[in-house]
Coordinates of all heavy atoms in Angstrom, one line a residue:
M1 N 2.4 -107.4 -158.8 CA 3.3 -108.6 -158.6 C 3.3 -109.5 -159.7 O 2.3 -109.9 -160.2 CB 2.9 -109.2 -157.2 CG 4.0 -110.2 -156.6 SD 3.4 -110.8 -155.1 CE 3.8 -112.6 -155.4
E2 N 4.5 -109.8 -160.1 CA 4.6 -110.7 -161.3 C 4.4 -112.2 -160.9 O 5.0 -112.6 -159.9 CB 6.0 -110.5 -161.9 CG 6.0 -110.6 -163.4 CD 7.3 -110.2 -164.0 OE1 7.8 -109.0 -163.8 OE2 7.9 -111.1 -164.7
A3 N 3.7 -112.8 -161.7 CA 3.5 -114.2 -161.4 C 4.7 -115.1 -161.8 O 5.5 -114.7 -162.7 CB 2.3 -114.8 -162.2
F4 N 4.9 -116.1 -161.1 CA 6.1 -116.9 -161.3 C 5.8 -117.7 -162.6 O 4.7 -118.4 -162.7 CB 6.3 -117.9 -160.1 CG 7.3 -119.0 -160.3 CD1 8.6 -118.6 -160.6 CD2 7.0 -120.2 -160.4 CE1 9.6 -119.5 -160.8 CE2 8.0 -121.2 -160.5 CZ 9.3 -120.9 -160.8
V5 N 6.6 -117.6 -163.6 CA 6.4 -118.2 -164.8 C 7.0 -119.6 -164.9 O 8.2 -119.7 -164.6 CB 6.8 -117.4 -166.1 CG1 6.5 -118.1 -167.4 CG2 6.2 -116.1 -166.0
R6 N 6.2 -120.5 -165.2 CA 6.7 -121.9 -165.2 C 6.8 -122.4 -166.7 O 6.1 -121.8 -167.6 CB 5.8 -122.9 -164.4 CG 5.7 -122.5 -163.0 CD 5.7 -123.6 -162.2 NE 4.4 -124.2 -162.0 CZ 4.2 -125.3 -161.4 NH1 5.2 -126.1 -161.0 NH2 2.9 -125.8 -161.2
H7 N 7.5 -123.3 -167.0 CA 7.6 -123.8 -168.3 C 7.3 -125.3 -168.3 O 7.8 -126.0 -167.4 CB 9.0 -123.6 -168.9 CG 9.3 -122.1 -169.1 ND1 8.9 -121.5 -170.3 CD2 9.9 -121.2 -168.3 CE1 9.3 -120.2 -170.1 NE2 9.8 -120.0 -169.0
C8 N 6.6 -125.7 -169.3 CA 6.3 -127.1 -169.5 C 7.6 -128.0 -169.6 O 8.5 -127.6 -170.3 CB 5.4 -127.3 -170.7 SG 5.1 -129.0 -171.1
R9 N 7.6 -129.0 -168.8 CA 8.9 -129.8 -168.8 C 9.0 -130.6 -170.1 O 10.1 -131.2 -170.4 CB 8.9 -130.7 -167.6 CG 7.8 -131.8 -167.5 CD 7.6 -132.3 -166.2 NE 8.6 -133.3 -165.8 CZ 8.4 -134.5 -165.2 NH1 7.2 -134.8 -164.9 NH2 9.3 -135.2 -164.9
L10 N 8.0 -130.7 -170.9 CA 8.1 -131.4 -172.1 C 8.3 -130.5 -173.4 O 9.3 -130.7 -174.1 CB 6.8 -132.2 -172.4 CG 6.7 -133.7 -171.9 CD1 5.5 -134.3 -172.4 CD2 7.9 -134.5 -172.5
C11 N 7.5 -129.6 -173.5 CA 7.6 -128.7 -174.8 C 8.2 -127.4 -174.5 O 8.4 -126.5 -175.4 CB 6.3 -128.6 -175.5 SG 5.1 -127.7 -174.6
N12 N 8.4 -127.0 -173.2 CA 9.0 -125.8 -172.8 C 8.1 -124.5 -173.0 O 8.6 -123.4 -172.9 CB 10.4 -125.6 -173.4 CG 11.4 -125.1 -172.5 OD1 11.2 -125.2 -171.3 ND2 12.4 -124.4 -173.0
E13 N 6.9 -124.7 -173.3 CA 5.9 -123.6 -173.3 C 5.8 -123.0 -172.0 O 5.8 -123.8 -171.0 CB 4.6 -124.1 -173.8 CG 4.5 -124.5 -175.3 CD 4.3 -123.2 -176.2 OE1 3.4 -122.4 -175.9 OE2 5.1 -123.1 -177.1
S14 N 5.6 -121.7 -171.9 CA 5.3 -121.2 -170.5 C 3.9 -121.5 -170.2 O 3.0 -121.5 -171.0 CB 5.5 -119.6 -170.5 OG 4.7 -119.1 -171.5
I15 N 3.7 -121.9 -168.9 CA 2.3 -122.3 -168.5 C 1.8 -121.4 -167.4 O 2.6 -120.9 -166.6 CB 2.3 -123.8 -168.1 CG1 3.5 -124.2 -167.2 CG2 2.3 -124.7 -169.4 CD1 3.4 -125.6 -166.7
E16 N 0.5 -121.3 -167.3 CA -0.2 -120.6 -166.2 C 0.2 -121.4 -164.9 O 0.4 -122.6 -165.0 CB -1.7 -120.7 -166.4 CG -2.1 -120.0 -167.7 CD -2.3 -118.5 -167.5 OE1 -2.8 -118.2 -166.4 OE2 -2.0 -117.8 -168.4
S17 N 0.1 -120.7 -163.8 CA 0.4 -121.4 -162.6 C -0.6 -122.6 -162.4 O -1.8 -122.4 -162.6 CB 0.3 -120.5 -161.4 OG -0.9 -120.6 -160.7
S18 N -0.1 -123.7 -162.2 CA -0.9 -124.9 -162.1 C -0.2 -125.9 -161.3 O 1.0 -125.9 -161.1 CB -1.3 -125.5 -163.5 OG -0.4 -126.6 -163.8
P19 N -0.9 -126.9 -160.7 CA -0.2 -127.9 -159.9 C 0.6 -128.9 -160.7 O 1.4 -129.7 -160.2 CB -1.3 -128.6 -159.2 CG -2.5 -128.5 -160.1 CD -2.3 -127.1 -160.8
F20 N 0.6 -128.8 -162.1 CA 1.3 -129.7 -162.9 C 2.5 -129.0 -163.5 O 2.7 -127.8 -163.5 CB 0.4 -130.1 -164.1 CG -0.9 -130.7 -163.6 CD1 -2.1 -130.1 -163.7 CD2 -0.9 -132.0 -163.0 CE1 -3.3 -130.6 -163.3 CE2 -2.1 -132.6 -162.6 CZ -3.3 -131.8 -162.7
T21 N 3.4 -129.9 -163.9 CA 4.7 -129.4 -164.4 C 4.6 -129.5 -166.0 O 5.7 -129.2 -166.6 CB 5.9 -130.2 -163.9 OG1 5.6 -131.6 -164.2 CG2 6.0 -130.0 -162.5
M22 N 3.5 -129.7 -166.5 CA 3.3 -129.7 -168.0 C 2.2 -128.9 -168.4 O 1.3 -128.7 -167.6 CB 3.1 -131.2 -168.5 CG 4.3 -132.1 -168.4 SD 4.0 -133.7 -169.0 CE 3.1 -134.5 -167.7
C23 N 2.2 -128.4 -169.7 CA 1.0 -127.7 -170.2 C -0.1 -128.7 -170.5 O 0.1 -129.9 -170.5 CB 1.4 -127.0 -171.5 SG 1.8 -128.1 -172.9
T24 N -1.3 -128.2 -170.7 CA -2.4 -129.0 -170.9 C -2.3 -130.0 -172.0 O -2.7 -131.2 -172.0 CB -3.7 -128.2 -171.0 OG1 -3.5 -127.2 -171.9 CG2 -4.2 -127.6 -169.7
T25 N -1.7 -129.5 -173.1 CA -1.5 -130.4 -174.3 C -0.6 -131.5 -173.9 O -1.0 -132.7 -174.3 CB -0.8 -129.6 -175.4 OG1 -1.5 -128.4 -175.6 CG2 -0.8 -130.4 -176.7
C26 N 0.4 -131.3 -173.3 CA 1.4 -132.4 -172.9 C 0.8 -133.3 -171.9 O 1.0 -134.5 -171.9 CB 2.7 -131.8 -172.4 SG 3.6 -131.0 -173.8
L27 N 0.0 -132.7 -171.0 CA -0.7 -133.5 -170.0 C -1.6 -134.5 -170.7 O -1.6 -135.7 -170.4 CB -1.5 -132.7 -169.0 CG -0.8 -132.2 -167.8 CD1 -1.8 -131.2 -167.1 CD2 -0.3 -133.2 -166.9
Y28 N -2.3 -134.0 -171.6 CA -3.2 -134.8 -172.4 C -2.5 -135.9 -173.2 O -2.9 -137.1 -173.2 CB -4.1 -133.9 -173.3 CG -5.1 -134.7 -174.2 CD1 -6.2 -135.2 -173.7 CD2 -4.8 -134.8 -175.6 CE1 -7.1 -136.0 -174.5 CE2 -5.6 -135.5 -176.4 CZ -6.8 -136.1 -175.8 OH -7.7 -136.8 -176.6
E29 N -1.5 -135.5 -173.9 CA -0.8 -136.4 -174.7 C -0.1 -137.5 -173.9 O 0.0 -138.7 -174.2 CB 0.3 -135.7 -175.5 CG -0.4 -134.9 -176.6 CD 0.6 -134.2 -177.5 OE1 1.7 -134.1 -177.2 OE2 0.1 -133.6 -178.5
S30 N 0.5 -137.1 -172.7 CA 1.2 -138.1 -171.9 C 0.2 -139.0 -171.3 O 0.4 -140.2 -171.1 CB 2.0 -137.4 -170.8 OG 1.2 -136.8 -169.8
E31 N -1.0 -138.6 -171.1 CA -2.1 -139.5 -170.6 C -2.4 -140.5 -171.7 O -2.7 -141.7 -171.4 CB -3.3 -138.6 -170.2 CG -4.5 -139.4 -169.5 CD -4.0 -140.3 -168.3 OE1 -3.0 -139.9 -167.6 OE2 -4.5 -141.4 -168.2
Q32 N -2.5 -140.0 -172.9 CA -2.8 -140.9 -174.0 C -1.8 -142.0 -174.1 O -2.1 -143.2 -174.4 CB -2.9 -140.1 -175.3 CG -4.1 -139.4 -175.5 CD -4.2 -138.8 -176.9 OE1 -3.3 -138.1 -177.3 NE2 -5.2 -139.2 -177.7
V33 N -0.5 -141.6 -174.0 CA 0.6 -142.5 -174.0 C 0.5 -143.5 -172.9 O 0.7 -144.7 -173.1 CB 1.9 -141.7 -174.0 CG1 3.1 -142.7 -173.8 CG2 2.1 -140.9 -175.3
R34 N 0.2 -143.0 -171.8 CA 0.1 -143.9 -170.6 C -1.0 -144.9 -170.8 O -0.8 -146.1 -170.5 CB -0.3 -143.0 -169.4 CG 0.3 -143.5 -168.1 CD -0.3 -142.8 -166.9 NE -0.1 -141.3 -167.0 CZ 0.9 -140.7 -166.5 NH1 1.8 -141.3 -165.8 NH2 1.0 -139.3 -166.7
Q35 N -2.1 -144.5 -171.3 CA -3.2 -145.4 -171.5 C -2.9 -146.5 -172.6 O -3.2 -147.6 -172.5 CB -4.5 -144.6 -172.0 CG -5.2 -144.1 -170.8 CD -6.4 -143.2 -171.2 OE1 -6.8 -143.3 -172.3 NE2 -6.9 -142.4 -170.3
F36 N -2.2 -146.0 -173.6 CA -1.8 -146.9 -174.7 C -0.8 -148.0 -174.1 O -1.0 -149.2 -174.4 CB -1.2 -146.1 -175.9 CG -0.8 -147.0 -177.0 CD1 -1.8 -147.5 -177.8 CD2 0.5 -147.4 -177.2 CE1 -1.5 -148.4 -178.9 CE2 0.9 -148.2 -178.3 CZ -0.2 -148.8 -179.1
I37 N 0.1 -147.5 -173.3 CA 1.1 -148.5 -172.8 C 0.4 -149.5 -171.8 O 0.7 -150.6 -171.8 CB 2.2 -147.7 -172.1 CG1 3.0 -146.9 -173.1 CG2 3.1 -148.7 -171.3 CD1 4.0 -146.0 -172.5
S38 N -0.6 -149.0 -171.1 CA -1.2 -149.9 -170.2 C -2.0 -151.0 -170.9 O -2.1 -152.1 -170.4 CB -2.2 -149.1 -169.2 OG -3.3 -148.7 -169.9
K39 N -2.4 -150.7 -172.1 CA -3.1 -151.7 -172.9 C -2.1 -152.6 -173.7 O -2.3 -153.7 -174.1 CB -4.1 -151.1 -173.9 CG -5.4 -150.6 -173.2 CD -6.3 -150.0 -174.2 CE -7.1 -148.9 -173.6 NZ -7.4 -147.8 -174.6
H40 N -1.0 -151.9 -174.0 CA 0.0 -152.6 -174.9 C 1.4 -152.5 -174.2 O 2.2 -151.6 -174.6 CB 0.1 -152.0 -176.3 CG -1.3 -151.8 -176.9 ND1 -1.8 -152.9 -177.7 CD2 -2.1 -150.8 -176.9 CE1 -3.0 -152.4 -178.1 NE2 -3.2 -151.2 -177.7
P41 N 1.7 -153.2 -173.2 CA 2.9 -153.1 -172.5 C 4.1 -153.5 -173.4 O 3.9 -154.3 -174.4 CB 2.9 -154.1 -171.4 CG 1.5 -154.7 -171.3 CD 0.8 -154.3 -172.6
L42 N 5.2 -152.8 -173.3 CA 6.4 -153.1 -174.0 C 6.3 -152.8 -175.5 O 6.9 -153.4 -176.4 CB 6.9 -154.6 -173.9 CG 7.2 -155.0 -172.4 CD1 7.5 -156.5 -172.4 CD2 8.4 -154.2 -171.9
V43 N 5.6 -151.8 -175.9 CA 5.6 -151.3 -177.3 C 6.8 -150.4 -177.5 O 7.3 -149.8 -176.5 CB 4.3 -150.6 -177.7 CG1 3.1 -151.5 -177.8 CG2 4.0 -149.5 -176.7
S44 N 7.2 -150.3 -178.7 CA 8.3 -149.3 -178.9 C 7.8 -147.9 -179.1 O 6.6 -147.7 -179.3 CB 9.0 -149.7 -180.3 OG 8.1 -149.5 -181.3
I45 N 8.7 -147.0 -179.0 CA 8.4 -145.6 -179.1 C 7.7 -145.3 -180.4 O 6.7 -144.6 -180.5 CB 9.6 -144.7 -178.9 CG1 10.0 -144.8 -177.4 CG2 9.3 -143.2 -179.3 CD1 11.3 -144.1 -177.2
E46 N 8.2 -145.9 -181.5 CA 7.6 -145.7 -182.8 C 6.2 -146.2 -182.8 O 5.4 -145.5 -183.4 CB 8.5 -146.6 -183.8 CG 8.4 -146.0 -185.2 CD 9.1 -146.9 -186.2 OE1 10.1 -147.5 -185.8 OE2 8.6 -147.0 -187.3
E47 N 5.9 -147.3 -182.2 CA 4.5 -147.8 -182.2 C 3.6 -146.9 -181.4 O 2.4 -146.6 -181.9 CB 4.4 -149.2 -181.6 CG 5.0 -150.3 -182.5 CD 5.2 -151.6 -181.8 OE1 5.9 -151.7 -180.8 OE2 4.4 -152.6 -182.1
I48 N 4.1 -146.4 -180.4 CA 3.3 -145.5 -179.6 C 3.0 -144.2 -180.3 O 1.9 -143.7 -180.4 CB 4.1 -145.1 -178.2 CG1 4.3 -146.3 -177.4 CG2 3.3 -144.0 -177.5 CD1 5.3 -146.0 -176.3
S49 N 4.1 -143.7 -181.0 CA 3.9 -142.5 -181.8 C 2.9 -142.7 -182.9 O 2.0 -141.8 -183.1 CB 5.3 -142.1 -182.4 OG 5.2 -141.2 -183.4
R50 N 2.9 -143.8 -183.5 CA 2.0 -144.1 -184.6 C 0.6 -144.2 -184.1 O -0.3 -143.7 -184.7 CB 2.4 -145.3 -185.4 CG 2.3 -145.2 -186.9 CD 2.7 -146.5 -187.6 NE 4.0 -146.9 -187.2 CZ 4.3 -148.2 -187.0 NH1 3.4 -149.2 -187.2 NH2 5.5 -148.6 -186.7
A51 N 0.4 -144.9 -183.0 CA -1.0 -145.1 -182.5 C -1.5 -143.9 -181.8 O -2.8 -143.7 -181.9 CB -0.9 -146.2 -181.5
T52 N -0.8 -143.0 -181.3 CA -1.3 -141.8 -180.6 C -1.2 -140.6 -181.4 O -1.8 -139.6 -181.0 CB -0.6 -141.6 -179.3 OG1 0.8 -141.4 -179.5 CG2 -0.8 -142.7 -178.3
N53 N -0.6 -140.6 -182.6 CA -0.3 -139.4 -183.4 C 0.5 -138.3 -182.7 O 0.3 -137.2 -182.9 CB -1.6 -138.8 -183.9 CG -2.3 -139.6 -185.0 OD1 -1.5 -140.1 -185.9 ND2 -3.5 -139.9 -184.9
I54 N 1.3 -138.7 -181.7 CA 2.2 -137.8 -181.1 C 3.6 -138.0 -181.7 O 4.0 -139.1 -181.9 CB 2.2 -138.1 -179.6 CG1 0.8 -137.9 -179.0 CG2 3.2 -137.2 -178.8 CD1 0.6 -138.5 -177.6
P55 N 4.2 -136.9 -182.0 CA 5.5 -137.0 -182.6 C 6.5 -137.9 -182.0 O 6.5 -137.9 -180.7 CB 6.0 -135.6 -182.7 CG 4.8 -134.7 -182.6 CD 3.8 -135.5 -181.8
F56 N 7.2 -138.7 -182.7 CA 8.2 -139.6 -182.1 C 9.1 -139.0 -181.1 O 9.3 -139.5 -180.0 CB 9.0 -140.2 -183.3 CG 10.1 -141.2 -182.8 CD1 9.8 -142.5 -182.8 CD2 11.3 -140.8 -182.4 CE1 10.7 -143.5 -182.4 CE2 12.3 -141.7 -182.0 CZ 11.9 -143.1 -182.0
Q57 N 9.6 -137.8 -181.4 CA 10.5 -137.1 -180.5 C 9.9 -136.8 -179.1 O 10.5 -136.8 -178.1 CB 11.0 -135.8 -181.2 CG 12.4 -135.8 -181.7 CD 12.8 -134.5 -182.1 OE1 12.0 -133.6 -182.6 NE2 14.0 -134.2 -182.0
K58 N 8.6 -136.5 -179.2 CA 8.0 -136.1 -178.0 C 7.7 -137.3 -177.1 O 7.9 -137.2 -175.9 CB 6.6 -135.4 -178.3 CG 6.1 -134.7 -177.2 CD 5.0 -133.6 -177.6 CE 4.5 -132.8 -176.5 NZ 3.5 -131.9 -176.9
V59 N 7.4 -138.4 -177.7 CA 7.2 -139.6 -177.0 C 8.5 -140.0 -176.4 O 8.6 -140.4 -175.2 CB 6.6 -140.8 -177.9 CG1 6.5 -142.1 -177.1 CG2 5.3 -140.4 -178.5
E60 N 9.6 -139.9 -177.1 CA 10.9 -140.2 -176.6 C 11.3 -139.3 -175.5 O 11.8 -139.8 -174.5 CB 11.9 -139.9 -177.8 CG 13.2 -140.6 -177.6 CD 14.1 -140.4 -178.9 OE1 14.0 -139.3 -179.5 OE2 14.8 -141.3 -179.2
Q61 N 10.9 -138.1 -175.5 CA 11.1 -137.1 -174.5 C 10.3 -137.6 -173.2 O 10.9 -137.4 -172.1 CB 10.6 -135.7 -174.9 CG 11.6 -134.6 -174.6 CD 11.0 -133.3 -175.1 OE1 10.2 -133.3 -176.0 NE2 11.5 -132.3 -174.5
M62 N 9.2 -138.0 -173.4 CA 8.3 -138.5 -172.2 C 9.1 -139.7 -171.6 O 9.1 -139.8 -170.4 CB 7.0 -138.9 -172.7 CG 6.0 -137.8 -173.1 SD 4.5 -138.5 -173.8 CE 3.7 -137.0 -174.4
A63 N 9.6 -140.5 -172.4 CA 10.3 -141.7 -171.9 C 11.6 -141.3 -171.1 O 11.8 -141.8 -170.0 CB 10.7 -142.6 -173.1
E64 N 12.2 -140.2 -171.6 CA 13.4 -139.8 -171.0 C 13.1 -139.2 -169.6 O 13.9 -139.2 -168.7 CB 14.2 -138.7 -171.8 CG 15.1 -139.4 -172.8 CD 15.6 -138.3 -173.9 OE1 15.5 -137.1 -173.6 OE2 16.0 -138.8 -175.0
L65 N 11.9 -138.5 -169.6 CA 11.6 -137.9 -168.3 C 11.0 -138.9 -167.3 O 10.7 -138.6 -166.2 CB 10.5 -136.8 -168.6 CG 11.0 -135.5 -169.2 CD1 9.9 -134.6 -169.7 CD2 11.9 -134.7 -168.2
G66 N 10.9 -140.1 -167.8 CA 10.4 -141.2 -166.9 C 9.0 -141.1 -166.6 O 8.6 -141.5 -165.5
L67 N 8.2 -140.5 -167.5 CA 6.8 -140.4 -167.2 C 6.1 -141.7 -167.3 O 5.0 -141.8 -166.8 CB 6.2 -139.4 -168.2 CG 6.7 -138.0 -168.1 CD1 6.0 -137.2 -169.2 CD2 6.3 -137.4 -166.8
N68 N 6.6 -142.6 -168.0 CA 5.9 -143.8 -168.3 C 6.8 -145.0 -168.0 O 7.9 -144.9 -167.4 CB 5.4 -143.8 -169.7 CG 4.4 -142.7 -170.0 OD1 3.3 -142.7 -169.4 ND2 4.8 -141.7 -170.7
H69 N 6.3 -146.2 -168.4 CA 7.1 -147.4 -168.3 C 8.4 -147.3 -169.0 O 8.6 -146.4 -169.8 CB 6.3 -148.5 -168.9 CG 5.1 -148.9 -168.2 ND1 5.1 -149.9 -167.2 CD2 3.8 -148.5 -168.2 CE1 3.9 -150.0 -166.7 NE2 3.1 -149.2 -167.3
K70 N 9.2 -148.3 -168.8 CA 10.4 -148.5 -169.6 C 9.9 -148.8 -171.0 O 9.1 -149.8 -171.1 CB 11.2 -149.5 -169.0 CG 11.9 -149.1 -167.7 CD 13.1 -148.3 -167.9 CE 13.7 -147.7 -166.6 NZ 13.9 -146.2 -166.7
Y71 N 10.4 -148.1 -171.9 CA 10.1 -148.5 -173.3 C 11.0 -149.5 -173.9 O 12.2 -149.5 -173.5 CB 10.1 -147.3 -174.2 CG 9.1 -146.2 -173.9 CD1 9.4 -145.2 -173.0 CD2 7.8 -146.3 -174.4 CE1 8.4 -144.2 -172.7 CE2 6.9 -145.3 -174.1 CZ 7.2 -144.3 -173.3 OH 6.3 -143.3 -173.0
K72 N 10.4 -150.3 -174.7 CA 11.3 -151.2 -175.5 C 11.9 -150.3 -176.6 O 11.1 -149.6 -177.3 CB 10.4 -152.3 -176.1 CG 11.1 -153.3 -176.9 CD 10.2 -154.4 -177.5 CE 9.4 -153.8 -178.7 NZ 8.5 -154.7 -179.2
V73 N 13.2 -150.3 -176.7 CA 13.7 -149.3 -177.7 C 14.1 -150.1 -179.0 O 14.7 -151.2 -178.9 CB 14.9 -148.6 -177.2 CG1 15.3 -147.5 -178.1 CG2 14.6 -148.0 -175.9
Ligands
ZN101 ZN1 3.9 -128.8 -173.1

């Protein structure tokens, strides 16, 4: 029986069946972003990207998916 293949909602990598909708990398990165924002509310995507070393586009994507606060753009 073939396992249902899911894709990470952020990077679109296929992921093992898990209760999450993101791969472990993206889960980790989105958690970093979340923590950064909780310490620095209302930062811009650029600042988040610089502080967390996560590509700008990816942080932007997280914002679009509504994973975090409203970003100051
Ligand atoms: Zn991913």
Side-chain angles (χ1 to χ4, degrees):
M1 196 175 130
E2 215 173 302
F4 174 63
V5 181
R6 301 217 274 172
H7 293 273
C8 173
R9 65 199 283 225
L10 266 186
C11 67
N12 221 26
E13 288 279 312
S14 58
I15 46 177
E16 300 275 320
S17 102
S18 102
F20 303 107
T21 53
M22 288 184 279
C23 68
T24 46
T25 309
C26 294
L27 272 177
Y28 176 73
E29 290 180 350
S30 67
E31 186 52 36
Q32 281 188 303
V33 170
R34 214 190 305 265
Q35 279 175 15
F36 183 74
I37 293 171
S38 70
K39 284 180 214 148
H40 312 272
L42 297 176
V43 286
S44 67
I45 290 174
E46 205 186 324
E47 286 169 297
I48 297 166
S49 164
R50 222 178 309 138
T52 57
N53 283 319
I54 299 168
F56 181 90
Q57 256 190 327
K58 198 161 183 182
V59 178
E60 199 175 34
Q61 228 178 333
M62 289 177 189
E64 274 166 23
L65 287 169
L67 294 177
N68 296 292
H69 289 270
K70 291 278 172 232
Y71 294 93
K72 181 182 79 183
V73 189

